[in-house]
Amino acid sequence: MIASEMLDTSRDHAPAATEEPRGCLFALSQPPLMIFLAVIGCLLLMAAVHDLFLL
C-alpha cells in the first residue's frame, strides 16, 4: 500500500534551507577520500617509475 505522504506533490511549503552549499572542496577535505586518492596516486606513480626505469 502506498502511503499518502508519498503521493503528496503539492508545493505549499518551501524546502528546508541548509547552512551553506557544499561542493567539491568540501568533498576533498574528507580524510578517507584523501587517503584513497593518495593510495591510488602512489600506485600510479610506482607503475610509471617501473615502466620508465625497469622495463
Side-chain angles (χ1 to χ4, degrees):
M1 180 151 188
I2 299 175
S4 62
E5 49 278 340
M6 292 180 69
L7 297 175
D8 185 18
T9 59
S10 63
R11 306 252 179 195
D12 292 339
H13 57 281
T18 58
E19 296 95 28
E20 63 184 53
R22 294 179 174 176
C24 183
L25 290 178
F26 176 78
L28 286 177
S29 68
Q30 302 305 308
L33 178 62
M34 292 306 293
I35 292 170
F36 171 75
L37 292 177
V39 168
I40 297 299
C42 287
L43 290 173
L44 288 173
L45 180 65
M46 287 173 25
V49 168
H50 177 268
D51 286 347
L52 287 174
F53 297 116
L54 298 177
L55 290 180

